[in-house]
Amino acid sequence: MIGFGLPNGRPLLTHRKLPEAAMGPPYFYYENVALAPRGVWDTISRFLYDIEPEFVDSKFFCAAARKRGYIHNLPIHNRFPLLPLPPRTIFEAFPMTKKWWPSWDTRTHLNCLQTCTASAKLTERIRSALADSDDPPSHNTRQFVINECRKWNLVWVGLHKVAPLEPDEIEMLLGFPRNHTRGGGSSRTERYKSLGNSFQVDTVAYHLSVLKDMFPNGITMLSLFSGIGGAEVALHRLGIHLKAVVSVEISEVNRNIVRSWWEQTNQTGTLIDIADVQQLNGDKLEQLIHTFGGFDLVVGGSPCNNLSGSNRVSRDGLEGKHSALFYDYFRILDLVKNIMGKES
DNA sequence: TTCACTATGATTAGCCCG
DNA sequence: CGGGCTAATCATAGTGAA
């Protein structure tokens, strides 16, 4: 799952032919979970002008897996990665764990960072099982421990002692500045949730890097379902000036996080935040496009709640309560294309 | 009311192998 | 080609303490 190519490998593809209807302006970038129920990506692709999705696992960019599909109309040649390159193995990311890491735990990468973490009961069950067993432990004990460690992304922090990642460790893995989600009224639970729902910044930045030469004076972006601002952080770290960002995000805590980051990084552009995508109708978009002279980029990862395999309760597909917001991404993107096409 | 904590499988895709 | 196996997975809902 390497998409059209990785930073240090030979590209599988350097050019592609996009359908006429897919061409910009604006450029757009859509994201969601790769392992969605059958047929979901076919539907998404059909709405987004029949562009073939680019499936990438972020384990090639950082120390944690993140299998995602991206549909975009960006050029794909001359991409470049963010520097410095982030740690790409568990030991590089968390050197202190090496001391306690059993040889029979052969993981080099973590699994997908999700919204919930393991219970204290589980880590205690693991400690107890290992303390009561031989050295090395029996096959059954090892199997139990390894399975739980993989399922819950546990790391070794002591003798027989595993623990879930801390929020600041997840921020690092995902490419955000330390304490990005800390403060601003965000509880620990909310931090895990917001981070679990986020982009992996290095992966997204690699795809967006082609914009740097194309927009030397900066870009104006419409950011839908912004979350904690993964796309904004990616562009900023690429050194692309943000002239204006219209950010749409339902969570007040997340809006605060992005607003706070905007202040921390001394942005000179304009940040407008909107709570609900439903507020973005034709009139509102015409007004915004008139104000900013159009959007260069429309970014969005629509809710995956009803697509994710972790959802035992309501994995209802693209028509599910939350994931159906994909259709608002399409609606808004298509409106922007039409309005901008009319004015040019 | 908020927050921390806990338990709760099914659906895929990719293998190998007959 | 299909059955059996391994493996991964941006979560929801309930409870109880503060």
Side-chain angles (χ1 to χ4, degrees):
Chain A
M1 204 175 272
I2 64 172
F4 300 140
L6 298 170
N8 280 328
R10 277 196 61 78
L12 299 181
L13 206 59
T14 53
H15 293 81
R16 59 175 174 166
K17 179 145 182 66
L18 291 172
E20 187 67 27
M23 307 278 201
Y27 287 109
F28 72 90
Y29 188 80
Y30 175 80
E31 177 265 5
N32 216 320
V33 291
L35 306 182
R38 255 193 257 297
V40 165
W41 275 105
D42 290 335
T43 305
I44 292 174
S45 178
R46 194 164 67 244
F47 272 85
L48 297 181
Y49 317 104
D50 288 317
I51 298 179
E52 192 77 15
E54 176 170 14
F55 292 107
V56 185
D57 190 338
S58 290
K59 75 177 181 182
F60 298 109
F61 289 84
C62 70
R66 208 167 186 79
K67 298 173 180 62
R68 297 294 181 267
Y70 305 87
I71 288 186
H72 59 84
N73 62 350
L74 294 161
I76 58 176
H77 58 278
N78 296 332
R79 290 168 162 180
F80 59 89
L82 276 184
L83 297 177
L85 291 176
R88 269 183 292 181
T89 64
I90 295 174
F91 287 158
E92 283 175 22
F94 307 111
M96 299 300 285
T97 64
K98 190 163 191 170
K99 178 176 177 186
W100 306 108
W101 209 277
S103 60
W104 42 269
D105 183 349
T106 57
R107 289 177 296 162
T108 58
H109 283 78
L110 293 164
N111 278 332
C112 185
L113 305 164
Q114 308 201 95
T115 56
C116 295
T117 56
S119 68
K121 296 244 192 239
L122 174 63
T123 56
E124 171 52 21
R125 277 202 295 274
I126 289 173
R127 189 206 61 77
S128 174
L130 290 172
D132 294 345
S133 79
D134 302 327
D135 186 29
S138 70
H139 177 267
N140 281 350
T141 304
R142 287 205 309 261
Q143 207 58 43
F144 162 69
V145 173
I146 287 290
N147 284 342
E148 296 302 322
C149 284
R150 286 179 181 273
K151 192 192 304 179
W152 291 102
N153 255 344
L154 302 171
V155 295
W156 296 91
V157 296
L159 180 63
H160 303 158
K161 192 160 89 162
V162 290
L165 297 174
E166 292 293 318
D168 61 333
E169 295 172 327
I170 298 178
E171 284 170 348
M172 181 268 285
L173 289 169
L174 290 176
F176 289 92
R178 177 170 288 251
N179 294 327
H180 182 72
T181 59
R182 193 177 184 186
S186 185
S187 71
R188 186 178 167 85
T189 307
E190 281 169 318
R191 290 182 73 189
Y192 277 118
K193 184 173 177 182
S194 296
L195 287 162
N197 282 311
S198 169
F199 286 171
Q200 204 286 326
V201 170
D202 299 271
T203 311
V204 170
Y206 183 62
H207 297 158
L208 298 181
S209 63
V210 297
L211 294 169
K212 185 160 184 176
D213 285 342
M214 304 171 63
F215 296 95
N217 296 321
I219 69 168
T220 296
M221 170 169 65
L222 176 58
S223 173
L224 305 175
F225 317 108
S226 302
I228 58 175
E232 289 83 347
V233 172
L235 290 165
H236 177 67
R237 287 192 54 193
L238 284 165
I240 298 175
H241 175 57
L242 297 169
K243 291 193 290 189
V245 174
V246 176
S247 166
V248 186
E249 168 56 41
I250 195 73
S251 157
E252 183 182 5
V253 168
N254 284 347
R255 290 200 303 275
N256 292 342
I257 288 169
V258 173
R259 174 68 65 184
S260 170
W261 170 81
W262 192 264
E263 292 164 359
Q264 307 295 321
T265 49
N266 300 312
Q267 300 284 336
T268 55
T270 306
L271 172 64
I272 292 181
D273 47 52
I274 297 172
D276 195 341
V277 286
Q278 312 292 348
Q279 298 172 11
L280 275 187
N281 54 25
D283 287 345
K284 183 72 177 171
L285 281 167
E286 286 214 31
Q287 175 205 324
L288 288 167
I289 287 170
H290 184 258
T291 302
F292 297 115
F295 291 109
D296 303 309
L297 177 65
V298 179
V299 178
S302 63
C304 70
N305 307 34
N306 309 115
L307 308 180
S308 165
S310 296
N311 190 337
R312 283 118 145 116
V313 180
S314 54
R315 197 182 185 191
D316 302 329
L318 207 51
E319 314 305 320
K321 182 179 173 187
H322 304 286
S323 296
L325 286 168
F326 159 74
Y327 296 106
D328 279 283
Y329 179 88
F330 166 71
R331 174 181 65 80
I332 291 166
L333 173 61
D334 211 47
L335 273 172
V336 170
K337 284 171 82 82
N338 286 328
I339 295 170
M340 288 179 62
K342 201 167 16 178
E343 294 197 353
S344 69

